[in-house]
């Protein structure tokens, strides 16, 4: 890992005419004359690379070795749930019987696929306590949008879509953005001294023009909104819906169920709670689960079973419509299903327990050294800040960059927005005591260094493939592609 | 088995460190009455061999691979070189997060930079983003982008655009008060020029067309571009079969402002519809309205080249409700596969492969239309898909073919007047023998 | 530190009055808070604006901030140099980093703004 000697060029820079890594078969059909006559064809794909297979293999192998990854070490990004990605899940999702099925194949020829999707739906409903579900959304934010569209459709069916959506100031940026794309105006709720929302504020803001409250629970501080049932009551009393962002479901699975806490709509991130890999930025998968009243509005198609035959139903007149091509991130769904079947009911509960234990173990060991703005009990993640280190001119960015020198990945930085200089730590349950201690010891050493040698932090990282990168130049003079 | 590396001793010691005597107490902030009293009602945990058996058995319930399939319509069966699977399976590519710490993510970042370059080269446009979910959401993002750029509410969408893409545009557009107008097609299977002329006005933000379109027909992008720009609107081109870009002139060179599409053909298996890859490119002047992540080149503290996520102020984590899109997680690993695929095929490979698809499709069309009663429905030039008209409803013909082991195409019954028609797709994976078997079977069933 | 001849708003804009017009920019305090400016989104000339309305936005690498008009007026000119060199706001906030020129509608609105000494006191209050 991290071989710093070889600087791998761009593929375009090692390209030379005439090389190829793939031989296209000779046509086995008679040459067709006059095909594409009159159509604008291209002379060439200007600048496209020409390299051999050896060079392709070396190029990507070398590039891969400059990446940090979960298989290398702890990846404690708060709210991202970077847990281990089991290998068997990858193998299952690459079985040809799954990968080679065309999405428009007749239903009778893909019963295996449909059966597994239905099973995953049912297991997710059991885990969440909700009543109906769609696997279609491609990622968490897409799930939020889908959920908000269903809320809007339901209000419209009752005569009025309403105008506003309430969102706490601690929320992830996708919440306000999703509500906005759904045609709503966002009203922000300020967090109280415990980092949660107060019932008084909510009662004051909640009226008949508010379509929904979007609530992350546990919230982005890792704090459980203990008043969730009262919150739901206030929202429901004015005819609104309670949307729960399930990004942090890893803290709750097997312990409690949103459906039992009066939540109306929620999305899950299969790429967080259910172990599917993040792939350097996707693909994710964001199923949306709802209560009975919202079920008619689910996107099409809906998977149904009758006499052990699975069927895709498009005849749903009140549906919000289609939110993407086909039926969702099928291979991602398979991996999540494999994970749930591997864990079983005991394993799911243990997953949440250890995720919370690991987080609290880190919190306990770093308390005092790093400032904890909110001291409410936390579940799967905890949010420190750089307040103590700022006295020496050291920021959360410097702390994070120094962690890279220790061979560790930093926490989420500068989020949630309600904590200035935030360091948001979520270890997940798949870290060993040894890896947790490595992280804790590095954080302790960095706290010492901040005092004794702040310059060391401000110029970090020192031993990575590249040193600190100039983001200002990148944004001021954007170079977004290679050119000759 | 729950992938937990914490032993019982560890657990006891860690709880003791927290001053707790049980794991239950970690959850004291959740009201007692909300906590589950029993275990969830889930199937008992399976061992790895049991799990694999279970899934293999379900995969065998899929009978699709026992058929010779001519299905396409937005998802294409292309050969995937072995290097794509091998290299993309490396942990260092599968298990990182979005590259928020660029110093330890140069691999992911450089790959995306190369991907953006490849997409620019293929589409003939100046900038590309790091990926969107799929072709359908890409089409929706494209028209929303044009709406923001132009501050106009009228969207023209060709009825020759993949029906799923059109449905997603409706789903996204209806909550934003956008007016969506569908344009008719002509006998060539292309956008009807008069229909476009009549629909265009100075409130029009964009025309979205697809090329090759849902009927497989190649649109005249240059003419569309002239007509649209004359009214101050934008031209967005959606592409569901991007292999065509190996051969057809780049839409950006013909006047398209935005090119978006489905990248599945580039090294992603059919996978029953996902995960796929939405790509998007546009002219430089629209960069601040482009949705999704973008990677840019910069230098490090020692002056060495490096790559970072850039222009992030467009995005939801900074601009929140004013962001260009709500997208966060994209299709990074799919973009990696596409990059390996495209670099492996390279400049000549992609062109030769595209040409092979054209040849095979032309052969299939020729042979099938030699059968009495079978007609080519549209006269427009095609890439690797075409529409045939059958003497009877294709529902019936298709079922008879299926009984002979052939999936003969996709019914077009949702298009009024095309009840007897089907869309047939031929790629490099269709040997002459398979095509001839289709011809033979069709002769038998008619 | 802060020039005597400028008016200052609580949102950290400054105004330099020249006859019936005023030049607008953001203060040194504001540019320090924002960090390296990478982009300025400027309005078109002729845009009418009410006091406290958003007039432009400035972006750093990881933030977007609205610039509010402290007064009612009409944009008559924008600083085109900022398109290529937005960093002028960092290097010379009260001079070459000016953002735009407004035609003032009601000069009495200037009475709602602070003079340099008051603004400096206001900043001291913020830092506490």
């Amino acid at each position: 890992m991290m071989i710093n000697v070889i600087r791998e060029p761009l593929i375009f820079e090692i390209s030379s005419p005439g090389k190829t890594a793939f031989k296209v078969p000779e046509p086995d059909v008679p040459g067709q004359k006059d095909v594409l006559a009159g159509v604008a064809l291209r002379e060439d794909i200007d600048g496209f690379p020409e390299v051999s297979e050896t060079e392709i293999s070396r190029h990507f192998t070398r590039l891969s070795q400059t990446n940090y990854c979960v298989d290398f070490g702890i990846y404690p990004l708060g709210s991202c749930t970077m847990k281990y990605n089991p290998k068997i899940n990858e193998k299952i999702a690459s079985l040809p019987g799954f990968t080679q099925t065309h999405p428009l194949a007749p239903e009778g020829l893909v019963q295996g696929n449909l059966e597994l999707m239905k099973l995953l739906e049912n297991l997710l409903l059991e885990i969440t306590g909700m009543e109906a579900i769609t696997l279609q959304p491609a990622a968490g934010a897409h799930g939020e949008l889908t959920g908000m569209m269903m809320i809007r459709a339901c209000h419209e069916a009752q005569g009025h879509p309403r105008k506003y959506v309430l969102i706490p100031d601690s929320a992830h940026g996708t919440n306000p953005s999703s509500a906005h794309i759904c045609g709503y105006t966002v009203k922000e709720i300020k967090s109280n001294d415990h980092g949660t929302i107060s019932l008084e504020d909510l009662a004051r803001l909640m009226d008949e023009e508010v379509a929904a409250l979007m609530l992350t629970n546990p919230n982005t501080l890792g704090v459980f909104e203990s008043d969730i049932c009262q919150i739901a009551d206030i929202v429901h009393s004015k005819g609104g819906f309670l949307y729960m962002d399930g990004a942090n479901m890893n803290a709750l699975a097997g312990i409690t169920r949103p459906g039992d806490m009066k939540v109306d709509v929620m999305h899950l991130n299969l790429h967080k709670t259910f172990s599917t890999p993040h792939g350097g930025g996707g693909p994710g998968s964001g199923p949306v689960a709802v209560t009975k009243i919202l079920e008619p509005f689910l996107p099409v198609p809906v998977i149904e079973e009758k006499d052990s035959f699975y069927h895709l139903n498009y005849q749903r007149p009140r549906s919000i419509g289609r939110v993407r091509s086909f039926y969702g991130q099928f291979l991602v769904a398979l991996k999540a299903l494999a994970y749930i079947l591997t864990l079983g009911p005991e394993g799911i509960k243990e997953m949440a327990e250890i995720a919370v234990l690991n987080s609290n173990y880190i919190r306990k060991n770093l308390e005092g050294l790093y400032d904890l703005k909110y001291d409410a009990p936390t579940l799967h993640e905890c949010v420190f800040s750089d307040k103590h280190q700022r006295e020496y001119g050291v920021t959360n960015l410097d702390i994070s960059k120094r962690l890279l020198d220790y061979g560790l990945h930093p926490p989420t930085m500068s989020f949630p927005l309600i904590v200035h200089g935030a360091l948001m730590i979520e270890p997940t349950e798949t870290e060993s005591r040894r890896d947790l201690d490595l992280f804790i010891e590095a954080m302790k050493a960095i706290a010492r260094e901040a005092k004794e040698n702040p310059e060391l932090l401000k110029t970090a990282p020192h031993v990575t493939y590249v040193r600190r990168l100039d983001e200002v130049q990148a944004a001021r003079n954007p170079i977004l592609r290679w050119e000759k | 088995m729950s992938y937990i590396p914490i032993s019982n001793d560890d657990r006891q010691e860690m709880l003791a460190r927290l001053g707790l005597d049980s794991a239950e107490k970690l959850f004291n902030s959740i009201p007692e009455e909300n906590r589950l009293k029993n275990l969830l009602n889930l199937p008992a945990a399976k061992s790895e061999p049991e799990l694999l058996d279970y899934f293999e058995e379900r995969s065998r319930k899929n009978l699709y691979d026992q058929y010779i399939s001519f299905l396409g319509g937005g998802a294409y069966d292309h050969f995937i070189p072995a290097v794509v699977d091998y290299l993309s399976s490396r942990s260092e590519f599968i298990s990182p997060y979005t590259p928020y710490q660029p110093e330890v993510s140069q691999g992911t970042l450089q790959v995306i930079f190369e991907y953006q370059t490849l997409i620019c080269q293929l589409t003939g446009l100046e900038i590309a983003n790091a990926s969107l979910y799929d072709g359908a959401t890409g089409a929706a993002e494209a028209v929303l982008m044009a709406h923001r750029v132009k501050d106009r509410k009228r969207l023209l969408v060709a009825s020759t655009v993949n029906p799923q893409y059109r449905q997603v545009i409706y789903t996204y557009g209806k909550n934003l008060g956008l007016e969506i107008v569908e344009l008719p097609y002509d006998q060539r299977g292309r956008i009807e020029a008069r229909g476009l002329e009549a629909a265009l006005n100075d409130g029009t933000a964009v025309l979205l067309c697809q090329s090759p379109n849902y009927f497989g027909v190649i649109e005249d992008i240059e003419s569309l571009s002239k007509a649209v720009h004359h009214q101050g609107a934008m031209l967005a081109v959606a592409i569901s079969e991007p292999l065509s870009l190996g051969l057809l002139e780049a839409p950006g060179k013909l006047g398209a402002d935005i090119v978006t599409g489905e990248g599945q053909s580039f090294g992603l298996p059919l996978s029953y519809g996902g995960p796929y890859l939405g790509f998007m490119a546009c002219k430089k002047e629209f960069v601040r309205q482009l949705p999704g992540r973008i990677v840019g080149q910069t230098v490090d503290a020692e002056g060495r080249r490096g790559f970072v996520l850039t222009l992030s102020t467009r995005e939801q984590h900074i601009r929140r409700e004013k962001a260009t899109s709500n997208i966060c997680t994209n299709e990074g690993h799919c973009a990696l596969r596409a990059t390996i695929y495209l670099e492996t095929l390279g400049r000549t490979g992609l062109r030769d492969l595209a040409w092979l698809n054209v040849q095979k499709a032309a052969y299939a069309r020729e042979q099938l239309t030699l059968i009495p009663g079978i007609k080519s429905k549209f006269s427009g030039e095609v890439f690797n898909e075409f529409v045939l008209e059958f003497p009877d409803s294709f529902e019936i013909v298709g079922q008879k073919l299926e009984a002979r082991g052939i999936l003969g195409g996709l019914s077009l019954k949702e298009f009024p007047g095309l009840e007897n028609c089907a869309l047939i797709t031929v790629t490099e994976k269709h040997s002459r023998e398979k095509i001839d078997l289709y011809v033979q079977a069709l002769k038998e069933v008619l | 530190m802060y020039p005597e001849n400028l008016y200052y708003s609580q949102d950290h804009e400054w105004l330099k009055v020249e006859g019936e017009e005023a030049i607008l920019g953001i203060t040194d305090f504001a540019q320090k808070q924002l960090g390296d400016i990478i982009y300025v989104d400027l309005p078109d000339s002729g845009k009418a604006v009410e006091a406290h309305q958003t007039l432009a936005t400035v972006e750093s690498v990881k933030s977007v901030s609205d610039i509010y008009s402290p007064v009612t007026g009409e944009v008559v000119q924008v600083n085109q140099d900022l398109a290529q060199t937005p960093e002028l706001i960092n290097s010379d906030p009260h001079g070459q980093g000016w953002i735009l020129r407004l035609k003032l509608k009601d000069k009495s609105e200037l009475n709602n703004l602070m003079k340099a000494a008051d603004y400096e006191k206001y900043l001291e209050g913020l830092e506490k």
Side-chain angles (χ1 to χ4, degrees), chain A residues 27-341:
Chain A
D28 60 352
V29 295
Q32 302 292 307
K33 293 206 182 69
D34 302 329
V35 192
L36 296 184
V39 172
L41 299 183
R42 67 198 305 163
E43 294 282 302
D44 189 11
I45 313 170
D46 194 28
F48 230 60
E50 293 175 88
V51 288
S52 65
E53 185 172 326
T54 325
E55 287 164 302
I56 289 280
S57 291
R58 294 234 169 109
H59 182 62
F60 286 96
T61 302
R62 288 171 183 171
L63 286 179
S64 76
Q65 292 185 342
T66 66
N67 271 356
Y68 191 94
C69 63
V70 173
D71 275 2
F72 181 81
I74 190 171
Y75 215 131
L77 286 173
S79 273
C80 300
T81 315
M82 293 295 288
K83 62 170 73 177
Y84 177 70
N85 313 128
K87 304 304 173 219
I88 182 64
N89 299 357
E90 298 301 311
K91 179 165 180 163
I92 283 166
S94 63
L95 292 174
F98 298 129
T99 60
Q100 294 179 8
T101 41
H102 193 284
L104 298 173
E107 285 163 0
L109 308 187
V110 288
Q111 286 294 297
N113 292 348
L114 293 170
E115 178 190 336
L116 292 171
M117 287 163 77
K118 192 71 196 166
L119 175 63
L120 177 62
E121 287 190 356
N122 288 335
L123 300 186
L124 294 177
L125 288 177
E126 167 65 14
I127 291 168
T128 57
M130 305 297 285
E131 292 169 316
I133 191 167
T134 174
L135 297 180
Q136 290 196 45
H142 200 218
E144 292 172 22
L145 180 60
T146 303
M148 291 311 295
M149 283 173 172
M150 293 169 68
I151 286 174
R152 188 176 177 106
C154 186
H155 282 307
E156 272 171 0
Q158 292 165 7
H160 181 42
R162 304 190 172 203
K163 271 191 204 150
Y164 302 106
V165 170
L166 302 181
I167 299 176
D169 54 5
S170 59
H172 195 266
T174 51
N175 288 182
S177 182
S178 300
H180 177 75
I181 291 181
C182 199
Y184 286 115
T185 300
V186 173
K187 277 192 186 174
E188 197 173 81
I189 306 183
K190 294 255 176 291
S191 299
N192 63 22
D193 294 345
H194 308 289
T196 52
I197 64 173
S198 77
L199 297 175
E200 294 74 38
D201 283 353
L202 177 63
R204 192 166 37 76
L205 288 164
M206 190 65 214
D207 63 25
E208 264 91 18
E209 279 300 334
V210 173
L213 165 69
M214 292 182 90
L215 188 70
T216 307
N217 199 19
N219 69 17
T220 56
L221 295 168
V223 177
F224 189 81
E225 299 272 0
S226 305
D227 295 331
I228 177 129
C229 288
Q230 293 92 308
I231 288 171
D233 288 341
I234 293 172
V235 173
H236 292 157
S237 71
K238 303 285 182 184
F241 289 102
L242 178 58
Y243 184 103
M244 187 179 124
D245 182 327
N248 295 337
M249 196 62 196
N250 208 44
L252 305 183
I255 305 293
T256 182
R257 307 198 305 172
D260 299 341
M261 296 185 288
K262 306 184 187 179
V263 166
D264 301 297
V265 194
M266 70 175 298
H267 77 264
L268 294 160
N269 301 74
L270 298 187
H271 49 296
K272 295 180 179 178
T273 315
F274 298 99
S275 86
T276 75
H278 282 68
S285 176
V288 174
V290 297
T291 51
K292 251 315 180 248
I293 181 177
L294 288 162
E295 199 245 339
F297 306 99
L298 287 170
V300 284
V302 168
I303 308 167
E304 290 172 357
E305 187 218 328
K306 201 180 165 199
D307 305 329
S308 296
F309 187 86
Y310 296 88
H311 164 66
L312 293 162
N313 184 1
Y314 292 85
Q315 303 309 314
R316 310 244 325 160
R318 298 169 81 190
S319 163
I320 58 166
R322 205 177 241 299
V323 295
R324 58 159 295 155
S325 300
F326 309 118
Y327 327 110
Q329 311 277 51
F330 175 63
L331 298 186
V332 180
L334 289 183
K335 295 176 197 182
L337 177 59
Y339 183 67
I340 297 170
L341 293 176

Side-chain angles (χ1 to χ4, degrees), chain B residues 100 288 311-314 317-319 322, chain C residues 38-39 57 59-64 66:
Chain B
Y100 286 143
R288 306 201 76 82
L311 303 179
S312 310
T313 49
R314 300 164 297 110
H317 62 279
I318 293 175
R319 209 178 278 255
K322 291 179 186 160
Chain C
I38 55 145
Y39 181 73
T57 53
E59 298 182 7
S60 63
V61 171
K62 298 220 162 90
S63 77
V64 183
D66 288 329

Side-chain angles (χ1 to χ4, degrees), chain B residues 41-62:
Chain B
N41 182 19
L42 299 173
K46 289 188 198 309
S47 67
E48 185 169 328
E50 290 166 327
L51 189 74
L52 190 57
D53 273 355
Y54 179 86
F55 278 94
E56 281 180 335
E57 202 177 296
R58 298 308 174 284
S59 85
R60 283 193 294 271
K61 285 191 183 175
N62 289 331

Side-chain angles (χ1 to χ4, degrees), chain B residues 186-348:
Chain B
D186 62 17
Q187 297 195 340
R188 290 173 300 179
R190 311 200 307 206
I191 295 173
E192 190 196 61
R194 269 179 313 167
L196 172 62
E197 211 60 46
L200 268 172
N201 62 29
D202 61 7
T204 306
V206 65
L207 163 66
L208 178 84
C209 70
Q210 180 181 324
S211 184
N213 66 25
Y214 190 65
F215 301 145
V217 176
I218 299 160
E219 296 277 2
D220 181 358
I221 291 172
E222 200 162 14
S223 300
L224 296 172
S225 158
K226 279 184 189 141
V228 166
H229 289 138
H230 189 66
Q231 280 288 357
M234 293 169 76
L235 178 64
V237 179
I239 296 173
S240 77
E241 173 47 295
L243 180 61
S244 61
L245 292 171
L247 201 54
L248 304 183
E249 182 56 284
K253 293 263 193 307
L254 299 170
D257 299 289
I258 305 171
V259 177
T260 183
E262 174 55 70
Q264 177 266 327
S265 287
F266 295 153
L268 297 170
L270 287 166
S271 311
Y272 202 53
Y276 284 2
L277 167 67
F279 65 85
M280 182 178 270
C282 69
K283 290 179 180 164
K284 208 172 181 176
E285 61 192 283
F286 306 126
V287 62
R288 306 201 76 82
Q289 291 301 338
L290 186 64
R293 295 189 181 113
I294 302 177
V295 170
Q297 181 181 313
T298 187
V299 291
D300 77 352
E302 292 177 18
R304 293 175 298 199
R305 176 169 67 188
F307 302 92
V308 292
L309 291 173
T310 192
L311 303 179
S312 310
T313 49
R314 300 164 297 110
E315 294 180 69
Q316 46 73 30
H317 62 279
I318 293 175
R319 209 178 278 255
R320 298 176 82 83
E321 67 266 30
K322 291 179 186 160
T324 52
S325 165
N326 70 330
I327 191 168
C328 180
T329 294
N330 58 21
E331 303 288 301
H333 195 259
C334 302
L336 165 79
R337 289 186 64 104
T339 306
I340 302 172
Y341 177 88
L342 290 171
E343 293 178 359
T344 298
L345 264 72
R347 201 177 113 204
T348 52

Side-chain angles (χ1 to χ4, degrees), chain C residues 9 16 18 43-44 49 52 62 68 76 83 92-93 95 119 124 127:
Chain C
S9 76
K16 182 180 182 189
E18 293 184 346
D44 294 328
V49 65
H52 312 300
K62 298 220 162 90
Y68 302 99
V76 291
D92 189 9
Y119 181 64
E124 277 170 33
E127 272 155 24

Side-chain angles (χ1 to χ4, degrees), chain B residues 21-40:
Chain B
D21 55 16
S22 77
E24 291 280 289
K25 300 239 164 82
L26 290 163
F27 296 94
N28 278 345
S29 59
I30 304 177
E32 181 72 40
E33 66 269 23
N34 294 135
R35 277 186 259 162
L36 291 168
K37 307 289 175 291
N38 303 306
L39 286 172
L40 291 168

